[in-house]
């Protein structure tokens, strides 16, 4: 790779303030090291977390901010110590680009729980330079935080798997919920939820989609492959479904009551929270105690799990349901995402967009 002293200037689309409006932004990438890979970004998925970040919903945003953490790119150059990748490889970049490498999570291949992890964007790299995401021409990423996209899997299809896919796969794997015959619930049918249905079904589970209204019933049952559809406001059906599920993956990213869903779990059932919510959630303790039920959370997945998940999706022929857009549509895409008006993931065709306009 080029000299460590050579700064590379790139164009991305950045938010400048909490309005969240993105526009062209020219900046320099961090200096490259021997284990770094320089990639040309091909496409990047839009996650609900991107919306939280550009609008400073979590109160920790730094601007200018180039979002995007479901990145698929082509390797252009590699550092002298890079052994896993070479020019021309198609690779993925997820939520993280750094970790301490010495703590227990790092030593046990669950680096997403490292207290010194470095986010793909809205963070600071070890050299003090801001990290910027995949809504840009190029990125520089340490080889440890790249995954190889399986041959035959399109870039646009792979992008949402790097966050939405592994976010579902990781807890199913960790909590011993991969065996066939289980009964699972998916609460919320968005980007993560629709992948949850597909992955759980591919594992041989009986899957119930739980939603606040009837409007996604046909899609859930006929297009995505769920076995049942449950409207949470239908008291009769909710009562009939009590004590029927081994787990529920809760993808809802806004405050909501937990008790109606805890009642659906069997003895030792697990409610797995995945939505980023910055207000307290409430429940009464007997709902847990009388069924030895568990409320837990899970955060994305490790690089190891991401590789496993990509191979699983390739083996099972799983694809995400996407709408591909150009970068000049990205602000409209964010507005539609905020209204839940996407089936089920926007993917930005970065390489095919004119980023400087």
């Amino acid at each position: 790779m080029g000299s460590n002293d050579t700064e590379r200037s790139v164009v991305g689309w950045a938010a400048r303030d909490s309005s969240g409006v993105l526009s062209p932004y020219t900046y320099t990438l961090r200096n490259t090291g021997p284990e770094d890979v320089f990639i040309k970004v091909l496409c990047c998925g839009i996650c609900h977390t991107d919306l939280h970040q550009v609008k400073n919903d979590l109160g920790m945003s730094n601007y200018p901010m180039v979002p995007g953490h479901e990145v698929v790119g082509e390797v252009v150059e590699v550092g002298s110590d890079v052994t896993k990748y070479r020019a021309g490889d198609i690779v993925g970049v997820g939520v993280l680009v750094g970790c301490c490498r010495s703590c227990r999570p790092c030593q046990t291949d669950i680096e997403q729980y490292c207290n010194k992890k470095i986010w793909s964007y809205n963070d600071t790299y070890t050299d003090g330079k801001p990290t910027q995401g995949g809504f840009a021409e190029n990125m520089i990423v340490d080889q440890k935080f790249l995954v190889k996209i399986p041959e035959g899997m399109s870039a646009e299809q792979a992008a949402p798997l790097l966050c939405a896919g592994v976010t579902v796969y990781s807890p199913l794997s960790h909590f011993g919920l991969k065996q066939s015959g289980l009964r699972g619930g998916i609460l919320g049918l968005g980007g993560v939820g629709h992948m949850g249905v597909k992955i759980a079904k591919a594992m041989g589970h009986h899957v119930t989609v739980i939603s606040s209204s009837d409007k996604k019933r046909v899609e859930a049952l006929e297009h995505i492959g769920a076995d049942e559809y449950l409207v949470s406001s239908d008291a009769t059906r909710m009562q009939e479904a009590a004590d029927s599920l081994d787990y529920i993956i809760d993808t809802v990213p806004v405050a909501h009551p937990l008790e109606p869903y805890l009642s659906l779990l069997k003895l030792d059932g697990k409610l797995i929270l995945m939505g980023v919510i910055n207000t307290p959630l409430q429940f009464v303790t007997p709902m847990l105690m009388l069924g030895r039920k568990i409320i837990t959370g899970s955060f994305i997945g490790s690089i190891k799990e991401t590789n496993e998940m990509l191979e699983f999706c390739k083996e099972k022929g799983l694809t995400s349901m996407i709408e591909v857009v150009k970068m000049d549509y990205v602000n409209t895409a964010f507005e539609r995402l905020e209204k839940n008006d996407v089936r089920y993931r926007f993917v930005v065709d970065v390489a095919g967009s004119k980023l400087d306009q």
Side-chain angles (χ1 to χ4, degrees):
M1 193 126 59
S3 165
N4 286 4
D5 300 325
T6 305
E7 288 194 326
R8 301 172 189 257
S9 179
V10 299
V11 178
W13 274 49
R16 302 320 206 275
D17 53 46
S18 60
S19 70
V21 175
L22 274 63
S23 59
Y25 170 61
T26 301
Y27 59 101
T28 54
L29 296 175
R30 65 176 177 81
N31 291 335
T32 56
E35 295 204 17
D36 285 329
V37 178
F38 179 66
I39 68 169
K40 173 189 175 183
V41 176
L42 300 177
C43 62
C44 186
I46 302 179
C47 175
H48 207 280
T49 305
D50 296 325
L51 189 60
H52 283 310
Q53 293 280 27
V54 298
K55 289 184 172 289
N56 198 27
D57 290 341
L58 306 177
M60 47 196 264
S61 296
N62 301 295
Y63 303 100
M65 178 198 302
V66 178
H69 61 241
E70 296 180 342
V71 188
V72 176
E74 180 180 350
V75 174
V76 178
E77 296 177 39
V78 299
S80 57
D81 292 346
V82 172
T83 56
K84 298 178 182 177
Y85 306 101
R86 61 186 180 193
D89 284 347
I90 305 301
V91 295
V93 187
V95 178
L96 303 181
V97 293
C99 63
C100 79
R101 306 190 187 216
S102 59
C103 67
R104 181 173 167 266
C106 287
Q107 292 291 312
T108 53
D109 292 326
I110 47 173
E111 65 283 337
Q112 72 271 34
Y113 298 110
C114 171
N115 288 331
K116 295 180 180 178
K117 57 184 166 285
I118 301 173
W119 307 94
S120 300
Y121 68 89
N122 194 37
D123 205 348
T124 305
Y125 206 70
T126 51
D127 62 357
K129 207 165 184 77
T131 60
Q132 303 288 13
F135 289 11
E137 295 171 307
N138 302 98
M139 292 179 73
I140 292 172
V141 185
D142 186 296
Q143 66 172 341
K144 177 179 172 62
F145 293 92
L146 291 172
V147 293
K148 190 168 283 189
I149 303 303
E151 209 168 311
M153 185 180 286
S154 75
E156 293 83 4
Q157 284 292 340
L161 301 179
L162 300 171
C163 176
V166 75
T167 292
V168 172
Y169 183 89
S170 176
L172 291 176
S173 177
H174 173 73
F175 291 114
L177 299 170
K178 287 170 71 176
Q179 70 267 35
S180 63
L182 295 178
R183 299 179 73 89
I186 306 294
L187 177 55
L189 196 61
V192 175
H194 97 283
M195 283 311 306
V197 175
K198 286 170 168 272
I199 289 174
K201 282 295 294 178
M203 290 177 175
H205 298 181
H206 181 283
V207 180
T208 299
V209 168
I210 310 161
S211 189
S212 58
S213 75
D214 228 7
K215 68 180 183 179
K216 294 183 180 178
R217 179 182 294 273
V218 173
E219 294 170 51
L221 298 175
E222 296 183 13
H223 302 309
I224 305 177
D227 298 289
E228 294 187 48
Y229 189 92
L230 191 56
V231 178
S232 55
S233 58
D234 185 337
T236 301
R237 285 283 291 116
M238 288 288 282
Q239 180 60 40
E240 290 170 354
D243 303 316
S244 67
L245 300 177
D246 294 292
Y247 67 87
I248 295 172
I249 289 177
D250 182 346
T251 72
V252 177
V254 294
H256 57 287
L258 299 184
E259 288 168 13
Y261 311 110
L262 289 168
S263 70
L264 300 175
L265 293 172
K266 296 177 182 178
L267 175 68
D268 290 327
K270 296 175 178 65
L271 177 62
I272 305 167
L273 303 178
M274 298 191 170
V276 178
I277 303 168
N278 61 351
T279 54
L281 301 179
Q282 292 184 316
F283 61 93
V284 293
T285 57
M287 293 288 294
L288 300 183
M289 296 162 59
L290 297 177
R292 203 165 61 188
K293 299 173 184 180
I294 296 168
I295 297 174
T296 187
S298 181
F299 175 62
I300 54 166
S302 65
I303 294 296
K304 182 179 178 182
E305 288 170 324
T306 304
N307 279 311
E308 284 178 14
M309 176 273 308
L310 288 170
E311 287 303 322
F312 177 82
C313 288
K314 181 188 177 184
E315 177 192 336
K316 300 293 185 179
L318 298 186
T319 57
S320 41
M321 295 174 70
I322 59 174
E323 181 176 338
V324 179
V325 300
K326 301 292 188 186
M327 190 66 82
D328 60 8
Y329 189 80
V330 73
N331 289 309
T332 303
F334 271 113
E335 289 171 11
R336 286 179 53 194
L337 178 59
E338 198 162 21
K339 298 172 189 169
N340 205 22
D341 175 25
V342 56
R343 300 294 181 270
Y344 280 89
R345 204 66 151 189
F346 284 115
V347 176
V348 181
D349 174 12
V350 178
S353 299
K354 295 180 179 178
L355 298 187
D356 56 355
Q357 296 180 9

